[in-house]
PDB file of all heavy atoms in Angstrom:
ATOM      1  N   VAL A   1       0.814  -1.221   0.010  1.00  0.00           N
ATOM      2  CA  VAL A   1      -0.009  -0.014   0.008  1.00  0.00           C
ATOM      3  C   VAL A   1       0.887   1.267  -0.004  1.00  0.00           C
ATOM      4  O   VAL A   1       0.594   2.237  -0.736  1.00  0.00           O
ATOM      5  CB  VAL A   1      -0.981  -0.032   1.154  1.00  0.00           C
ATOM      6  CG1 VAL A   1      -1.655   1.324   1.403  1.00  0.00           C
ATOM      7  CG2 VAL A   1      -1.994  -1.138   0.985  1.00  0.00           C
ATOM      8  N   TYR A   2       1.954   1.270   0.787  1.00  0.00           N
ATOM      9  CA  TYR A   2       2.863   2.400   0.844  1.00  0.00           C
ATOM     10  C   TYR A   2       3.502   2.653  -0.506  1.00  0.00           C
ATOM     11  O   TYR A   2       3.585   3.825  -1.004  1.00  0.00           O
ATOM     12  CB  TYR A   2       3.926   2.132   1.893  1.00  0.00           C
ATOM     13  CG  TYR A   2       4.825   3.306   2.116  1.00  0.00           C
ATOM     14  CD1 TYR A   2       4.474   4.364   2.913  1.00  0.00           C
ATOM     15  CD2 TYR A   2       6.137   3.332   1.596  1.00  0.00           C
ATOM     16  CE1 TYR A   2       5.300   5.479   3.089  1.00  0.00           C
ATOM     17  CE2 TYR A   2       6.961   4.333   1.794  1.00  0.00           C
ATOM     18  CZ  TYR A   2       6.588   5.458   2.572  1.00  0.00           C
ATOM     19  OH  TYR A   2       7.409   6.490   2.786  1.00  0.00           O
ATOM     20  N   ALA A   3       3.951   1.548  -1.199  1.00  0.00           N
ATOM     21  CA  ALA A   3       4.520   1.753  -2.493  1.00  0.00           C
ATOM     22  C   ALA A   3       3.491   2.194  -3.532  1.00  0.00           C
ATOM     23  O   ALA A   3       3.792   3.100  -4.366  1.00  0.00           O
ATOM     24  CB  ALA A   3       5.108   0.385  -2.962  1.00  0.00           C
ATOM     25  N   TYR A   4       2.256   1.718  -3.441  1.00  0.00           N
ATOM     26  CA  TYR A   4       1.225   2.207  -4.377  1.00  0.00           C
ATOM     27  C   TYR A   4       0.928   3.637  -4.265  1.00  0.00           C
ATOM     28  O   TYR A   4       0.769   4.417  -5.177  1.00  0.00           O
ATOM     29  CB  TYR A   4      -0.062   1.315  -4.230  1.00  0.00           C
ATOM     30  CG  TYR A   4      -1.085   1.764  -5.236  1.00  0.00           C
ATOM     31  CD1 TYR A   4      -0.964   1.418  -6.587  1.00  0.00           C
ATOM     32  CD2 TYR A   4      -2.144   2.570  -4.935  1.00  0.00           C
ATOM     33  CE1 TYR A   4      -1.868   1.806  -7.518  1.00  0.00           C
ATOM     34  CE2 TYR A   4      -3.087   2.988  -5.841  1.00  0.00           C
ATOM     35  CZ  TYR A   4      -2.933   2.628  -7.172  1.00  0.00           C
ATOM     36  OH  TYR A   4      -3.880   3.014  -8.083  1.00  0.00           O
ATOM     37  N   VAL A   5       0.843   4.088  -3.002  1.00  0.00           N
ATOM     38  CA  VAL A   5       0.541   5.511  -2.739  1.00  0.00           C
ATOM     39  C   VAL A   5       1.751   6.345  -3.229  1.00  0.00           C
ATOM     40  O   VAL A   5       1.553   7.449  -3.819  1.00  0.00           O
ATOM     41  CB  VAL A   5       0.313   5.752  -1.241  1.00  0.00           C
ATOM     42  CG1 VAL A   5       0.359   7.249  -0.885  1.00  0.00           C
ATOM     43  CG2 VAL A   5      -0.979   5.133  -0.778  1.00  0.00           C
ATOM     44  N   SER A   6       2.979   5.866  -3.051  1.00  0.00           N
ATOM     45  CA  SER A   6       4.163   6.546  -3.529  1.00  0.00           C
ATOM     46  C   SER A   6       4.146   6.717  -5.047  1.00  0.00           C
ATOM     47  O   SER A   6       4.424   7.730  -5.627  1.00  0.00           O
ATOM     48  CB  SER A   6       5.445   5.939  -3.096  1.00  0.00           C
ATOM     49  OG  SER A   6       5.598   6.034  -1.715  1.00  0.00           O
ATOM     50  N   VAL A   7       3.783   5.603  -5.738  1.00  0.00           N
ATOM     51  CA  VAL A   7       3.735   5.617  -7.185  1.00  0.00           C
ATOM     52  C   VAL A   7       2.645   6.578  -7.691  1.00  0.00           C
ATOM     53  O   VAL A   7       2.835   7.402  -8.635  1.00  0.00           O
ATOM     54  CB  VAL A   7       3.480   4.138  -7.773  1.00  0.00           C
ATOM     55  CG1 VAL A   7       3.096   4.194  -9.207  1.00  0.00           C
ATOM     56  CG2 VAL A   7       4.729   3.344  -7.507  1.00  0.00           C
ATOM     57  N   SER A   8       1.531   6.573  -7.009  1.00  0.00           N
ATOM     58  CA  SER A   8       0.383   7.462  -7.384  1.00  0.00           C
ATOM     59  C   SER A   8       0.786   8.913  -7.170  1.00  0.00           C
ATOM     60  O   SER A   8       0.576   9.782  -8.062  1.00  0.00           O
ATOM     61  CB  SER A   8      -0.810   7.211  -6.498  1.00  0.00           C
ATOM     62  OG  SER A   8      -1.328   5.926  -6.771  1.00  0.00           O
ATOM     63  N   ASN A   9       1.405   9.272  -6.051  1.00  0.00           N
ATOM     64  CA  ASN A   9       1.820  10.630  -5.803  1.00  0.00           C
ATOM     65  C   ASN A   9       2.914  11.063  -6.841  1.00  0.00           C
ATOM     66  O   ASN A   9       2.901  12.258  -7.223  1.00  0.00           O
ATOM     67  CB  ASN A   9       2.358  10.782  -4.385  1.00  0.00           C
ATOM     68  CG  ASN A   9       1.288  10.709  -3.365  1.00  0.00           C
ATOM     69  OD1 ASN A   9       0.092  10.845  -3.613  1.00  0.00           O
ATOM     70  ND2 ASN A   9       1.660  10.502  -2.100  1.00  0.00           N
ATOM     71  N   THR A  10       3.751  10.210  -7.149  1.00  0.00           N
ATOM     72  CA  THR A  10       4.807  10.539  -8.072  1.00  0.00           C
ATOM     73  C   THR A  10       4.234  10.842  -9.494  1.00  0.00           C
ATOM     74  O   THR A  10       4.648  11.824 -10.118  1.00  0.00           O
ATOM     75  CB  THR A  10       5.818   9.343  -8.192  1.00  0.00           C
ATOM     76  OG1 THR A  10       6.344   9.105  -6.876  1.00  0.00           O
ATOM     77  CG2 THR A  10       6.967   9.651  -9.124  1.00  0.00           C
ATOM     78  N   ALA A  11       3.329  10.016  -9.905  1.00  0.00           N
ATOM     79  CA  ALA A  11       2.743  10.267 -11.241  1.00  0.00           C
ATOM     80  C   ALA A  11       1.923  11.561 -11.260  1.00  0.00           C
ATOM     81  O   ALA A  11       1.970  12.333 -12.211  1.00  0.00           O
ATOM     82  CB  ALA A  11       1.822   9.073 -11.637  1.00  0.00           C
ATOM     83  N   CYS A  12       1.171  11.783 -10.199  1.00  0.00           N
ATOM     84  CA  CYS A  12       0.329  12.988 -10.085  1.00  0.00           C
ATOM     85  C   CYS A  12       1.237  14.269 -10.059  1.00  0.00           C
ATOM     86  O   CYS A  12       0.883  15.292 -10.689  1.00  0.00           O
ATOM     87  CB  CYS A  12      -0.574  12.939  -8.894  1.00  0.00           C
ATOM     88  SG  CYS A  12      -1.940  11.783  -9.041  1.00  0.00           S
ATOM     89  N   GLU A  13       2.305  14.189  -9.350  1.00  0.00           N
ATOM     90  CA  GLU A  13       3.195  15.353  -9.288  1.00  0.00           C
ATOM     91  C   GLU A  13       3.868  15.647 -10.649  1.00  0.00           C
ATOM     92  O   GLU A  13       3.965  16.776 -11.008  1.00  0.00           O
ATOM     93  CB  GLU A  13       4.321  15.088  -8.285  1.00  0.00           C
ATOM     94  CG  GLU A  13       5.277  16.284  -8.071  1.00  0.00           C
ATOM     95  CD  GLU A  13       4.528  17.537  -7.576  1.00  0.00           C
ATOM     96  OE1 GLU A  13       3.549  17.424  -6.852  1.00  0.00           O
ATOM     97  OE2 GLU A  13       4.993  18.655  -7.936  1.00  0.00           O
ATOM     98  N   GLY A  14       4.204  14.605 -11.375  1.00  0.00           N
ATOM     99  CA  GLY A  14       4.767  14.803 -12.750  1.00  0.00           C
ATOM    100  C   GLY A  14       3.745  15.455 -13.657  1.00  0.00           C
ATOM    101  O   GLY A  14       4.109  16.391 -14.403  1.00  0.00           O
ATOM    102  N   ALA A  15       2.502  14.961 -13.595  1.00  0.00           N
ATOM    103  CA  ALA A  15       1.431  15.529 -14.449  1.00  0.00           C
ATOM    104  C   ALA A  15       1.158  16.963 -14.032  1.00  0.00           C
ATOM    105  O   ALA A  15       0.855  17.846 -14.885  1.00  0.00           O
ATOM    106  CB  ALA A  15       0.226  14.645 -14.366  1.00  0.00           C
ATOM    107  N   ASN A  16       1.175  17.218 -12.729  1.00  0.00           N
ATOM    108  CA  ASN A  16       0.902  18.539 -12.223  1.00  0.00           C
ATOM    109  C   ASN A  16       1.993  19.519 -12.733  1.00  0.00           C
ATOM    110  O   ASN A  16       1.678  20.621 -13.185  1.00  0.00           O
ATOM    111  CB  ASN A  16       0.842  18.568 -10.739  1.00  0.00           C
ATOM    112  CG  ASN A  16       0.461  19.910 -10.140  1.00  0.00           C
ATOM    113  OD1 ASN A  16      -0.401  20.632 -10.710  1.00  0.00           O
ATOM    114  ND2 ASN A  16       1.067  20.218  -8.993  1.00  0.00           N
ATOM    115  N   PHE A  17       3.281  19.091 -12.661  1.00  0.00           N
ATOM    116  CA  PHE A  17       4.382  19.916 -13.133  1.00  0.00           C
ATOM    117  C   PHE A  17       4.195  20.241 -14.622  1.00  0.00           C
ATOM    118  O   PHE A  17       4.302  21.383 -15.109  1.00  0.00           O
ATOM    119  CB  PHE A  17       5.694  19.241 -12.905  1.00  0.00           C
ATOM    120  CG  PHE A  17       6.851  20.082 -13.354  1.00  0.00           C
ATOM    121  CD1 PHE A  17       7.431  21.007 -12.583  1.00  0.00           C
ATOM    122  CD2 PHE A  17       7.409  19.911 -14.658  1.00  0.00           C
ATOM    123  CE1 PHE A  17       8.529  21.803 -13.019  1.00  0.00           C
ATOM    124  CE2 PHE A  17       8.446  20.593 -15.106  1.00  0.00           C
ATOM    125  CZ  PHE A  17       9.032  21.538 -14.303  1.00  0.00           C
ATOM    126  N   GLY A  18       3.863  19.233 -15.387  1.00  0.00           N
ATOM    127  CA  GLY A  18       3.631  19.362 -16.847  1.00  0.00           C
ATOM    128  C   GLY A  18       2.532  20.274 -17.181  1.00  0.00           C
ATOM    129  O   GLY A  18       2.535  21.013 -18.204  1.00  0.00           O
ATOM    130  N   SER A  19       1.423  20.230 -16.361  1.00  0.00           N
ATOM    131  CA  SER A  19       0.282  21.068 -16.668  1.00  0.00           C
ATOM    132  C   SER A  19       0.527  22.499 -16.337  1.00  0.00           C
ATOM    133  O   SER A  19      -0.098  23.406 -16.870  1.00  0.00           O
ATOM    134  CB  SER A  19      -0.951  20.525 -15.911  1.00  0.00           C
ATOM    135  OG  SER A  19      -0.863  20.806 -14.518  1.00  0.00           O
ATOM    136  N   LEU A  20       1.446  22.798 -15.359  1.00  0.00           N
ATOM    137  CA  LEU A  20       1.702  24.180 -14.956  1.00  0.00           C
ATOM    138  C   LEU A  20       2.841  24.793 -15.740  1.00  0.00           C
ATOM    139  O   LEU A  20       2.973  26.013 -15.744  1.00  0.00           O
ATOM    140  CB  LEU A  20       2.061  24.189 -13.463  1.00  0.00           C
ATOM    141  CG  LEU A  20       0.939  23.783 -12.504  1.00  0.00           C
ATOM    142  CD1 LEU A  20       1.400  23.782 -11.082  1.00  0.00           C
ATOM    143  CD2 LEU A  20      -0.240  24.757 -12.646  1.00  0.00           C
ATOM    144  N   HIS A  21       3.694  24.001 -16.354  1.00  0.00           N
ATOM    145  CA  HIS A  21       4.844  24.520 -17.160  1.00  0.00           C
ATOM    146  C   HIS A  21       4.743  24.092 -18.545  1.00  0.00           C
ATOM    147  O   HIS A  21       4.845  22.851 -18.882  1.00  0.00           O
ATOM    148  CB  HIS A  21       6.132  23.980 -16.516  1.00  0.00           C
ATOM    149  CG  HIS A  21       6.372  24.388 -15.072  1.00  0.00           C
ATOM    150  ND1 HIS A  21       6.881  25.565 -14.733  1.00  0.00           N
ATOM    151  CD2 HIS A  21       6.077  23.712 -13.948  1.00  0.00           C
ATOM    152  CE1 HIS A  21       6.908  25.685 -13.410  1.00  0.00           C
ATOM    153  NE2 HIS A  21       6.510  24.536 -12.888  1.00  0.00           N
ATOM    154  N   GLY A  22       4.443  25.040 -19.439  1.00  0.00           N
ATOM    155  CA  GLY A  22       4.244  24.698 -20.835  1.00  0.00           C
ATOM    156  C   GLY A  22       5.496  24.368 -21.576  1.00  0.00           C
ATOM    157  O   GLY A  22       6.654  24.591 -21.084  1.00  0.00           O
ATOM    158  N   VAL A  23       5.371  23.812 -22.757  1.00  0.00           N
ATOM    159  CA  VAL A  23       6.453  23.427 -23.638  1.00  0.00           C
ATOM    160  C   VAL A  23       7.261  24.662 -24.022  1.00  0.00           C
ATOM    161  O   VAL A  23       8.497  24.637 -24.071  1.00  0.00           O
ATOM    162  CB  VAL A  23       5.970  22.673 -24.876  1.00  0.00           C
ATOM    163  CG1 VAL A  23       7.093  22.406 -25.840  1.00  0.00           C
ATOM    164  CG2 VAL A  23       5.238  21.373 -24.501  1.00  0.00           C
ATOM    165  N   ALA A  24       6.588  25.767 -24.279  1.00  0.00           N
ATOM    166  CA  ALA A  24       7.310  27.004 -24.642  1.00  0.00           C
ATOM    167  C   ALA A  24       8.300  27.498 -23.598  1.00  0.00           C
ATOM    168  O   ALA A  24       9.316  28.096 -23.914  1.00  0.00           O
ATOM    169  CB  ALA A  24       6.276  28.128 -24.907  1.00  0.00           C
ATOM    170  N   GLU A  25       8.040  27.164 -22.363  1.00  0.00           N
ATOM    171  CA  GLU A  25       8.963  27.539 -21.278  1.00  0.00           C
ATOM    172  C   GLU A  25      10.273  26.860 -21.344  1.00  0.00           C
ATOM    173  O   GLU A  25      11.300  27.368 -20.944  1.00  0.00           O
ATOM    174  CB  GLU A  25       8.283  27.221 -19.895  1.00  0.00           C
ATOM    175  CG  GLU A  25       9.028  27.689 -18.718  1.00  0.00           C
ATOM    176  CD  GLU A  25       8.246  27.406 -17.452  1.00  0.00           C
ATOM    177  OE1 GLU A  25       7.005  27.330 -17.465  1.00  0.00           O
ATOM    178  OE2 GLU A  25       8.907  27.164 -16.430  1.00  0.00           O
ATOM    179  N   PHE A  26      10.357  25.666 -22.009  1.00  0.00           N
ATOM    180  CA  PHE A  26      11.573  24.913 -22.124  1.00  0.00           C
ATOM    181  C   PHE A  26      12.142  24.871 -23.528  1.00  0.00           C
ATOM    182  O   PHE A  26      13.147  24.232 -23.739  1.00  0.00           O
ATOM    183  CB  PHE A  26      11.328  23.510 -21.597  1.00  0.00           C
ATOM    184  CG  PHE A  26      10.971  23.429 -20.125  1.00  0.00           C
ATOM    185  CD1 PHE A  26       9.682  23.430 -19.711  1.00  0.00           C
ATOM    186  CD2 PHE A  26      11.985  23.512 -19.181  1.00  0.00           C
ATOM    187  CE1 PHE A  26       9.359  23.399 -18.334  1.00  0.00           C
ATOM    188  CE2 PHE A  26      11.703  23.450 -17.849  1.00  0.00           C
ATOM    189  CZ  PHE A  26      10.326  23.410 -17.455  1.00  0.00           C
ATOM    190  N   GLY A  27      11.511  25.544 -24.441  1.00  0.00           N
ATOM    191  CA  GLY A  27      12.076  25.625 -25.804  1.00  0.00           C
ATOM    192  C   GLY A  27      11.590  24.621 -26.723  1.00  0.00           C
ATOM    193  O   GLY A  27      11.232  24.908 -27.867  1.00  0.00           O
ATOM    194  N   ASN A  28      11.543  23.331 -26.357  1.00  0.00           N
ATOM    195  CA  ASN A  28      11.024  22.282 -27.256  1.00  0.00           C
ATOM    196  C   ASN A  28      10.472  21.126 -26.413  1.00  0.00           C
ATOM    197  O   ASN A  28      10.593  21.116 -25.216  1.00  0.00           O
ATOM    198  CB  ASN A  28      12.120  21.778 -28.201  1.00  0.00           C
ATOM    199  CG  ASN A  28      13.321  21.170 -27.507  1.00  0.00           C
ATOM    200  OD1 ASN A  28      13.174  20.500 -26.433  1.00  0.00           O
ATOM    201  ND2 ASN A  28      14.472  21.366 -28.034  1.00  0.00           N
ATOM    202  N   VAL A  29       9.824  20.180 -27.091  1.00  0.00           N
ATOM    203  CA  VAL A  29       9.145  19.110 -26.446  1.00  0.00           C
ATOM    204  C   VAL A  29      10.126  18.218 -25.658  1.00  0.00           C
ATOM    205  O   VAL A  29       9.843  17.734 -24.586  1.00  0.00           O
ATOM    206  CB  VAL A  29       8.314  18.267 -27.435  1.00  0.00           C
ATOM    207  CG1 VAL A  29       7.664  17.075 -26.760  1.00  0.00           C
ATOM    208  CG2 VAL A  29       7.216  19.120 -28.039  1.00  0.00           C
TER     209      VAL A  29
END
């Protein structure tokens, strides 16, 4: 359960970062 929660939080944080920082901010995809 601890590992599943960690995997879930990790994926959500990555998607959150990607949704808040656009491609234009980093130059290319």
Side-chain angles (χ1 to χ4, degrees):
V1 170
Y2 185 77
Y4 182 75
V5 169
S6 293
V7 167
S8 294
N9 289 343
T10 302
C12 287
E13 184 60 31
N16 187 36
F17 179 87
S19 72
L20 295 175
H21 301 277
V23 175
E25 187 176 330
F26 294 97
N28 62 36
V29 175

